Amino acid sequence: MNQHTRVTPVPFIDIGAQRRRLGPAIDEAVGRVLTHCQFIGGPEVAQLEAALAAYSGAKHVISCASGTDALLMVLMAKGVGAGDAVFCPSFTFCATGESVALTGASPVFVDVDEATYNMDVASLKSAIATAKKLGLKPKAIIPVDLFGQPADHDAIAAVAAEEGLFVLDDAAQAFGAKYKGKRLGTSALATATSFFPAKPLGCYGDGGAIFTDSDELAETLRSIRVHGQGSDKYDNVRLGLTGRLDTIQAAVLLEKLKIFDDEIAARNKVAERYARGLSNVVTVPRLAPGNTSVWAQYTIRLPKGTDRDGFAAALKAQGVPTAIYYGKSMHQQTAYKQYPVADGGLPACESLSQDVISLPMHPYLTEADQERIIAAVRGALAT
Ligand SMILES: *Cc1c(COP(=O)(O)O)cnc(C)c1O
């Protein structure tokens, strides 16, 4: 092997490989939209919503402009605002808590479970007590299905029922994953997902969707999506957004949905190979019983004290890119420092933020590339 072949980088996510696989199907789907010219609200949007409803088992699917809008629209529909507390994990992408802060409500940050990286229910209970002490009104819980694995939805639903809160599931990274045999989309009052290109089911721009069985919520969300429209879009009965999904993105997603289950199976194979090759040198992700994952990220935890930057540099020199999700938890970010955290603090979030690193993960990762990545990880830790 010459020097050049050895350092050709492995892609972190290979959207190009999927595009080649889908071939003319995507071009034709986009071409149909270019022909009918209904760029907003074209027939593909309703077709996609019906296909996603059938796939997830949810009664209603409201497609929208992004995963962040999906979260925000549900909070707006439920009237969340100033003085309310919404509980979310701190070890997540910022959009989870950002959607809350945008309504004027206060995110209250909750710790995560060290094994699954998802919301810790004991910390959730203490966060509810913290919020009450601060004079905030507990309103909602936003569990995140981090890196593709469902949160502990039954335990969270039990706390929500006891406290009279609603649950909005942030499944931006986990659409397609199963919780106790059922795909995400019906485990909460509403489930939000994102079709950002790097998500497991991604479009060719920004996009998102909301899943709910509630007729009333679905109707309000459809109004919010178009500036709070009433009987028509020039009748404004509430505040809303320009929250629609473009027809072209719906057309792309309809084609990608056809191969989605096959891609999830391929992601699982990649995850299994990583676990076999790495579980004796790093902490590999663990699925809770009853969960499947769509492996939005394959995030490992380095042994305490490992120089993470040095580790990443060693892998990079071998042509293996890595990413750090998330080097700071939300409560450690400048924009969110003023919001409360659960009594007892967030030790797991802080520790994970120091130790985690994500490896290349996509359905088209070859066994040969993966062997190279595994060897690079093992080599970097051995020195
Ligand atoms: C990506 C993501 C979002 C936001 O989705 P966008 O489509 O980028 O707005 C929200 N929450 C989580 C956990 C995410 O990973």
Side-chain angles (χ1 to χ4, degrees):
M1 214 195 297
N2 66 34
Q3 187 65 19
H4 176 74
T5 22
R6 210 167 340 122
V7 297
T8 306
V10 176
F12 191 74
I13 289 179
D14 195 348
I15 293 171
Q18 183 200 51
R19 165 117 181 86
R20 290 190 291 280
R21 171 178 176 180
L22 285 165
I26 293 254
D27 301 51
E28 285 162 19
V30 171
R32 286 191 291 274
V33 180
L34 297 181
T35 304
H36 68 53
C37 288
Q38 294 175 61
F39 298 117
I40 295 293
E44 286 83 356
V45 175
Q47 284 164 24
L48 176 70
E49 290 179 343
L52 291 173
Y55 186 83
S56 64
K59 186 171 178 196
H60 300 281
V61 176
I62 297 91
S63 61
C64 62
S66 70
T68 306
D69 277 3
L71 293 166
L72 178 61
M73 285 166 62
V74 173
L75 297 172
M76 289 169 73
K78 296 292 291 176
V80 171
D84 293 336
V86 177
F87 305 93
C88 60
S90 182
F91 187 64
T92 180
F93 181 61
C94 67
T96 310
E98 184 184 38
S99 65
V100 176
L102 285 171
T103 66
S106 176
V108 178
F109 293 114
V110 176
D111 209 7
V112 296
D113 175 79
E114 297 222 27
T116 62
Y117 310 154
N118 279 330
M119 184 179 267
D120 177 86
V121 175
S123 175
L124 169 63
K125 289 179 185 163
S126 95
I128 294 170
T130 307
K132 288 177 184 167
K133 257 192 323 209
L134 292 171
L136 295 165
K137 186 175 181 305
K139 197 76 190 254
I141 305 168
I142 309 185
V144 178
D145 308 303
L146 201 73
F147 304 144
Q149 166 168 216
D152 191 356
H153 289 292
D154 284 351
I156 290 164
V159 174
E162 214 166 277
E163 297 283 344
L165 313 179
F166 75 88
V167 181
L168 163 57
D169 180 20
D170 182 347
Q173 302 182 2
F175 184 64
K178 286 183 184 166
Y179 177 74
K180 299 190 177 170
K182 280 195 333 194
R183 288 204 179 96
L184 292 177
T186 54
S187 297
L189 171 70
T191 300
T193 200
S194 164
F195 303 126
F196 182 78
K199 308 283 177 175
L201 181 63
C203 58
Y204 287 167
D206 281 308
I210 303 157
F211 303 76
T212 184
D213 284 344
S214 162
D215 298 341
E216 189 192 347
L217 179 61
E219 191 184 322
T220 309
L221 290 168
R222 290 193 182 102
S223 162
I224 288 175
R225 179 166 65 174
V226 191
H227 301 288
Q229 72 177 9
S231 51
D232 65 64
K233 79 170 141 174
Y234 302 106
D235 174 36
N236 310 118
V237 297
R238 56 172 64 78
L239 296 182
L241 302 168
T242 302
R244 296 163 297 233
L245 179 73
D246 293 351
T247 310
I248 286 180
Q249 301 305 342
V252 168
L253 286 164
L254 278 165
E255 295 309 313
K256 289 202 185 192
L257 193 56
K258 293 177 188 164
I259 59 164
F260 188 41
D261 277 341
D262 186 60
E263 290 189 333
I264 293 172
R267 286 174 182 275
N268 273 290
K269 277 211 183 101
V270 171
E272 283 160 20
R273 266 189 236 136
Y274 271 143
R276 277 200 302 275
L278 295 174
S279 59
N280 61 350
V281 289
V282 296
T283 306
V284 296
R286 195 154 87 225
L287 295 187
N291 272 355
T292 67
S293 178
V294 292
W295 303 105
Q297 303 296 344
Y298 193 85
T299 303
I300 58 172
R301 197 168 176 190
L302 299 175
K304 267 278 168 244
T306 306
D307 166 15
R308 183 170 59 183
D309 292 340
F311 174 84
L315 264 63
K316 192 171 177 215
Q318 301 284 319
V320 176
T322 55
I324 294 170
Y325 305 114
Y326 298 92
K328 278 184 193 173
S329 288
M330 282 199 74
H331 70 288
Q332 300 172 308
Q333 295 280 3
T334 307
Y336 300 97
K337 276 189 178 139
Q338 78 270 31
Y339 293 111
V341 305
D343 276 0
L346 311 181
C349 292
E350 288 171 15
S351 168
L352 288 169
S353 285
Q354 281 178 7
D355 302 338
V356 291
I357 190 161
S358 303
L359 300 176
M361 165 53 81
H362 62 83
Y364 305 98
L365 194 55
T366 63
E367 211 164 333
D369 279 347
Q370 224 185 331
E371 290 310 323
R372 228 175 96 188
I373 298 164
I374 290 167
V377 171
R378 298 186 71 93
L381 289 170
T383 54

